[in-house]
Amino acid sequence: MNVQLDIVSLMLANLLFSVQVAPLVVVVATAIRTILLLTGKRRAFEEWTRNPLLSAVTIIFAPGMVITTAVRYGVSSLMGIDLEGLGGGGTYGELSLFLKVDKPPRVAILLSALYISTVVSVFIAFALLVVPIVLLAGAPIVLLCTYISLGVLLTSSLKGGDLALLGAALKGRPRSGAIELFAVLAILVLFYTQVVGVVI
């Protein structure tokens, strides 16, 4: 019973921590992805990818990318975003949900889905990082869980498809979309400054 209570307490603490660090994770992961993007070529007709370094990192941390994509797909589907399916491209060797979307969602729904899926991904990453260390200290599976956890965190960045879909959502409803954008951002700023706080 004590072990179960400890696990529940650990998960609750992990959830709070995940909410706190989610913005920082997105910023750091996006910054790393941007730096890697800058090492690529604008055009590459004879090679399979425009950016070998980013593609290599993506392939190395593929299990993490699969988890973040699955979480994004699940949350987006639950929130009614009309996804045509999972897509991928050789440009950067990444998976993307938003390559084809028949009907762009409302801005508030899209931003909420991106936020919730990021928090869930970060929660999973830290659960994989902490729980095995607490319960299975010294076991080889701890290294595997740490590797997958890092992959999840590194692939929790904003991607071109996210921004393209946001642009399409704003274009579809220019006035209400802009109001929703500022409203969601204001709510998140108030939430983090007045309620939760951000871990830096």
Side-chain angles (χ1 to χ4, degrees):
M1 179 65 75
N2 288 336
V3 173
Q4 291 179 341
L5 289 175
D6 289 343
I7 292 176
V8 171
S9 299
L10 185 61
M11 290 297 97
L12 290 174
N14 180 28
L15 179 59
L16 176 59
F17 183 71
S18 298
V19 171
Q20 289 178 314
V21 301
L24 184 61
V25 168
V26 171
V27 169
V28 172
T30 303
I32 292 172
R33 184 176 186 275
T34 302
I35 292 169
L36 293 176
L37 277 172
L38 293 176
T39 67
K41 303 174 183 178
R42 289 179 63 86
R43 295 177 180 172
F45 296 105
E46 297 179 358
E47 299 178 12
W48 72 275
T49 177
R50 289 184 194 170
N51 196 314
L53 182 57
L54 179 57
S55 297
V57 171
T58 301
I59 291 169
I60 290 170
F61 292 105
M65 179 180 59
V66 170
I67 291 173
T68 55
T69 304
V71 169
R72 183 77 61 88
Y73 184 85
V75 172
S76 298
S77 298
L78 287 173
M79 297 190 71
I81 296 177
D82 186 21
L83 299 171
E84 190 166 301
L86 183 65
T91 305
Y92 306 120
E94 292 180 317
L95 296 174
S96 177
L97 290 179
F98 302 142
L99 288 179
K100 295 180 180 179
V101 178
D102 289 335
K103 183 181 177 183
R106 297 193 68 92
V107 172
I109 292 174
L110 173 60
L111 293 177
S112 298
L114 292 174
Y115 173 75
I116 292 170
S117 61
T118 299
V119 171
V120 173
S121 293
V122 172
F123 174 82
I124 292 171
F126 284 112
L128 287 170
L129 194 63
V130 174
V131 174
I133 292 176
V134 173
L135 299 180
L136 304 168
I141 196 172
V142 172
L143 293 176
L144 176 62
C145 290
T146 301
Y147 155 70
I148 296 174
S149 172
L150 290 175
V152 173
L153 293 174
L154 286 173
T155 55
S156 295
S157 62
L158 286 175
K159 298 179 176 62
D162 304 337
L163 300 178
L165 184 57
L166 177 59
L170 286 168
K171 187 176 179 180
R173 300 180 182 87
R175 183 172 297 178
S176 62
I179 293 172
E180 289 176 22
L181 175 63
F182 288 116
V184 171
L185 292 178
I187 290 170
L188 286 175
V189 168
L190 287 173
F191 178 64
Y192 278 97
T193 57
Q194 304 299 320
V195 181
V196 178
V198 181
V199 175
I200 299 179

